[in-house]
Amino acid sequence: MCWILAGLLIEAERWAARPARSPNAGRQGATQIKCAEVTAGPRLGPVSHGSWLERRKLGCVDMSRASVCIRTVEQDDKSDSFFASLFKLDFLFSVGPPTCPAERPAEASRCGDDEWEGEFFPGIPKIKYEGPKSKSHLAFKYYNAEEVILGKKMKDWFRFSVAFWHTFRGTGGDPFGASTKYWPWEDGTNSLAMAKRRMRANFEFINKLGVDFWCFHDRDIAPDGKTLEETNKNLDEVVALAKELQGSKIRPLWGTAQLFYHPRYMHGGATSPEVGVYAYAAAQVKKAMEVTYYLGGENYVFWGGREGYQSLLNTDMEKELNHMARFLEGAVNYKKKIGFNGRTLLIEPKPQEPTKHQYDWDAATTANFLRKYGLIDEFKLNIECNHATLSGHSCHHELETARINGLLGNIDANTGDPQTGWDTDQFMTDIAEATMVMFSVIENGGLAPGGFNFDAKLRRESTDVGDLFIAHISGMDTMARGLRNAARIMEDGSIADLVKKRYQSFDSEVGAAIEAGKADFEYLEKKVMEWGEPEVPSGKQVMKPLRLFHLGAVLMDPIKALFMYCIFFFSSCACFQTCLCTLAHFANKSFR
Ligand code: XUL
Ligand code: CO
């Protein structure tokens, strides 16, 4: 317990004494210090020494998903030592919601205002395309928004979106450690004023990055109030500002309701056994749909945060799934009622985390659910690559499953770590994976009205404001390289040829009869008697990666290209083919 307290104190002290990070942070420090006096100050040290129990204050520092709420009891004491005060502090520690629970926001909301002079990201220019030779970290090397690839501008293939919750509420905290990021504009509160200032930072970021979309959860952007009415009012205020800041071009790729953070949702939202929670979740989604519509959002997402179970022994799975279907039906009806037509409702599958089993396990499970409840025509899927690998599939597999079912609607572009079995939400940097992703997107003819949302966050150790840009630029460049590779490979046609040849026996009369549903078992048995044992050709998997690497190499730098070309050349010698393929695979990996 002691080390937790000490940790909190150190963290709190670090917050108070945190370094100015941006060139204009010194100037902004005044606002922050003022805030610290109102909310953070009394719980940090040195404690102002009044009389014993003179004042009790409830301070709340909220750094998004890891909030530290501390109640201080100030005492009469001669000692000025910070650690001497340690035992007089009464802590409430919670890894709480990114909003202070309803009892606590009032004091915090008096903190500061949303004024901010000058830029939030001074020194960061508007990010431009400079091409592969550029040495700048703040330039695109492969993503060229206006360039046309396979008949569509790059920006229209991607429709890139910034995820508000990671970029502006991410703290770098993990289950073992407190926040590491202290953006200069944050004042340590979850006040309405802070929400508005953060929103201004969001739009400066989006404009400088040069994208047209953003995504949000209702509770990321505005704090909870004491009642639903107060919460909705907070949301309306922030949304009104967002609408103004969006201008005529920027809009949400999607909005969603956060139905997983608040303690009321501990058993789920739509699948909670408590009817009051089901109703609350419905009211929250209703409002989130309204504000998404108001902001010109193009889609609305359902990620079933806690729609699943921890134990089947206390769960009526059939009942919960029926409830979930009723809930989604309610959303479809409300969408129609408010005229949110032409927009897509998306479900985002994820197999586990936070619950041990989530009902929308993967694309196939979700498609089955939608079909069973007659909702298949009302929804599409938002495939997240890190969720795909958590469910034991590749992202490409999930995208293809969605695509062939007519359900591919949007991509949460991120990736996991092969050595870490959880949802690390990293920016994708693997060009081979991005190439596969783009095969599906091209086959699908694009994603609009969906797009690519960077459901990805900075690593805990990346703490500079500039890192936010670098991470997005590298994510966008990786996807752009994927698009360029996939287009090149598809134009070349060799992979398509390989696949076509593999199934050519079905172009025969018998194959055609099977595909048309006209070949019964007796007919097929007769054919086997006539043909005898079938000849089964090679699947040529070894050729596929090799061909991919050869074509991809054209887009790499000349040395890599030469190396890959040599591998390809030598590999045509049949006896070395298999082992050189393996070598090529590893070589390609390490080069990247
Ligand atoms: C959680 C996740 C969410 C959804 C939106 O794993 O991916 O952020 O994308 O609720
Ligand atoms: Co996601």
Side-chain angles (χ1 to χ4, degrees):
M1 187 59 193
C2 248
W3 66 266
I4 294 178
L5 292 181
L8 286 172
L9 282 168
I10 290 161
E11 165 63 13
E13 197 174 25
R14 284 193 52 199
W15 166 258
R18 68 200 182 285
R21 286 192 182 280
S22 87
N24 62 353
R27 173 172 55 73
Q28 289 134 12
T31 315
Q32 289 156 0
I33 288 161
K34 199 171 126 216
C35 290
E37 281 164 8
V38 175
T39 60
R43 67 179 166 68
L44 304 178
V47 174
S48 67
H49 303 297
S51 54
W52 175 255
L53 280 182
E54 186 186 82
R55 291 184 294 159
R56 284 176 82 94
K57 282 204 175 177
L58 193 70
C60 177
V61 164
D62 183 277
M63 286 300 293
S64 179
R65 295 185 184 215
S67 74
V68 181
C69 294
I70 303 165
R71 193 172 61 218
T72 68
V73 183
E74 295 184 8
Q75 308 174 5
D76 198 7
D77 194 312
K78 299 274 174 297
S79 168
D80 270 317
S81 143
F82 181 72
F83 285 99
S85 310
L86 195 148
F87 302 104
K88 296 161 198 150
L89 296 171
D90 169 16
F91 285 89
L92 296 172
F93 174 69
S94 69
V95 177
T99 56
C100 291
E103 316 79 65
R104 292 202 290 272
E107 186 169 358
S109 65
R110 285 203 300 273
C111 177
D113 52 37
D114 63 310
E115 295 291 309
W116 185 264
E117 277 173 47
E119 293 173 275
F120 290 90
F121 302 97
I124 308 260
K126 169 117 189 163
I127 311 298
K128 298 211 177 75
Y129 172 71
E130 289 183 7
K133 293 211 173 94
S134 168
K135 294 270 181 285
S136 168
H137 292 310
L138 294 173
F140 296 117
K141 297 177 183 66
Y142 297 92
Y143 176 65
N144 186 8
E146 298 297 324
E147 187 179 330
V148 174
I149 300 220
L150 295 179
K152 218 193 276 277
K153 286 185 180 172
M154 276 183 128
K155 66 176 187 189
D156 297 328
W157 278 116
F158 292 116
R159 296 160 57 84
F160 283 127
S161 149
V162 170
F164 191 90
W165 58 98
H166 284 310
T167 306
F168 289 95
R169 305 306 307 269
T171 66
D174 71 14
F176 298 91
S179 315
T180 58
K181 301 181 209 317
Y182 303 105
W183 305 132
W185 54 85
E186 291 287 334
D187 64 13
T189 72
N190 190 33
S191 66
L192 200 49
M194 189 56 246
K196 290 187 192 169
R197 196 187 308 154
R198 208 178 277 128
M199 194 53 81
R200 294 185 195 282
N202 175 46
F203 283 102
E204 185 181 318
F205 182 82
I206 289 176
N207 277 303
K208 285 191 166 172
L209 191 63
V211 300
D212 294 340
F213 298 97
W214 65 297
C215 288
F216 65 94
H217 298 88
D218 49 1
R219 300 296 178 261
D220 303 327
I221 62 172
D224 261 325
K226 289 198 186 83
T227 59
L228 184 62
E229 288 89 333
E230 203 182 290
T231 304
N232 287 349
K233 204 167 144 276
N234 289 348
L235 187 57
D236 284 339
E237 268 196 52
V238 179
V239 163
L241 175 68
K243 175 94 171 165
E244 185 190 317
L245 295 171
Q246 281 188 160
S248 56
K249 211 167 80 185
I250 300 169
R251 63 247 186 236
L253 183 62
W254 49 261
T256 187
Q258 191 198 69
L259 301 181
F260 45 89
Y261 221 100
H262 196 284
R264 88 171 64 87
Y265 295 122
M266 69 178 158
H267 304 293
T271 61
S272 171
E274 282 304 314
V275 70
V277 176
Y278 180 103
Y280 209 109
Q284 202 180 318
V285 167
K286 171 181 174 289
K287 181 71 184 172
M289 287 177 83
E290 285 163 14
V291 300
T292 305
Y293 178 45
Y294 173 74
L295 288 167
E298 307 223 339
N299 305 271
Y300 184 89
V301 162
F302 293 86
W303 168 59
R306 291 182 193 275
E307 314 298 10
Y309 60 79
Q310 300 291 16
S311 166
L312 269 181
L313 291 176
N314 69 358
T315 303
D316 184 337
M317 184 154 65
E318 190 179 19
K319 203 174 187 62
E320 291 199 0
L321 286 165
N322 289 343
H323 290 178
M324 196 160 94
R326 287 285 179 235
F327 192 90
L328 294 174
E329 239 171 63
V332 170
N333 293 338
Y334 196 62
K335 171 189 149 176
K336 290 178 182 158
K337 186 160 188 185
I338 61 176
F340 197 37
N341 302 322
R343 269 61 166 213
T344 315
L345 298 179
L346 297 160
I347 297 186
E348 182 176 326
K350 185 176 184 182
Q352 69 273 127
E353 200 199 294
T355 66
K356 91 168 173 189
H357 178 95
Q358 311 246 149
Y359 291 133
D360 299 322
W361 182 273
D362 61 2
T365 313
T366 311
N368 181 56
F369 168 86
L370 290 172
R371 248 182 213 112
K372 173 176 173 186
Y373 289 100
L375 293 165
I376 196 85
D377 296 328
E378 306 290 352
F379 287 85
K380 285 196 172 180
L381 301 183
N382 178 29
I383 301 296
E384 176 167 325
C385 292
N386 202 164
H387 296 178
T389 47
L390 283 180
S391 68
H393 305 304
S394 65
C395 191
H396 194 203
H397 168 96
E398 285 295 84
L399 293 171
E400 285 298 279
T401 304
R403 184 181 71 75
I404 63 178
N405 283 288
L407 295 174
L408 179 52
N410 194 80
I411 297 177
D412 268 14
N414 64 7
T415 197
D417 185 305
Q419 282 151 291
T420 313
W422 49 290
D423 197 12
T424 53
D425 284 340
Q426 293 165 218
F427 282 86
M428 192 184 285
T429 50
D430 183 326
I431 298 155
E433 191 180 5
T435 304
M436 304 295 192
V437 166
M438 292 316 296
F439 277 145
S440 293
V441 174
I442 295 170
E443 284 288 353
N444 203 55
L447 295 170
F452 281 75
N453 168 48
F454 284 115
D455 193 351
K457 61 187 167 204
L458 289 185
R459 300 301 84 205
R460 176 172 170 74
E461 303 79 9
S462 295
T463 53
D464 290 339
V465 161
D467 294 340
L468 289 171
F469 280 90
I470 294 169
H472 282 82
I473 292 167
S474 90
M476 290 163 79
D477 266 347
T478 301
M479 297 317 307
R481 286 189 84 169
L483 173 63
R484 289 173 188 278
N485 281 353
R488 175 87 178 77
I489 289 162
M490 284 169 116
E491 274 170 345
D492 167 85
S494 57
I495 300 271
D497 262 15
L498 199 81
V499 176
K500 192 164 186 301
K501 282 200 188 111
R502 219 171 149 226
Y503 296 91
Q504 71 190 3
S505 65
F506 274 82
D507 296 340
S508 63
E509 192 191 324
V510 179
I514 292 172
E515 287 182 353
K518 290 187 179 143
D520 62 23
F521 280 10
E522 280 108 335
Y523 167 75
L524 292 172
E525 183 189 48
K526 230 171 92 210
K527 284 291 164 193
V528 173
M529 306 283 190
E530 194 183 312
W531 290 338
E533 188 63 31
E535 259 180 52
V536 184
S538 164
K540 297 273 184 228
Q541 274 102 314
V542 285
M543 284 302 292
K544 235 174 157 179
L546 200 62
R547 195 85 189 112
L548 272 181
F549 295 146
H550 167 62
L551 289 162
V554 177
L555 298 160
M556 298 176 191
D557 67 44
I559 300 172
K560 284 181 208 166
L562 186 68
F563 183 82
M564 301 314 290
Y565 193 83
C566 288
I567 288 190
F568 179 69
F569 176 76
F570 287 117
S571 69
S572 45
C573 175
C575 60
F576 288 131
Q577 186 170 303
T578 310
C579 84
L580 281 176
C581 262
T582 315
L583 265 180
H585 174 73
F586 287 119
N588 188 59
K589 268 203 155 163
S590 54
F591 266 134
R592 245 182 277 116

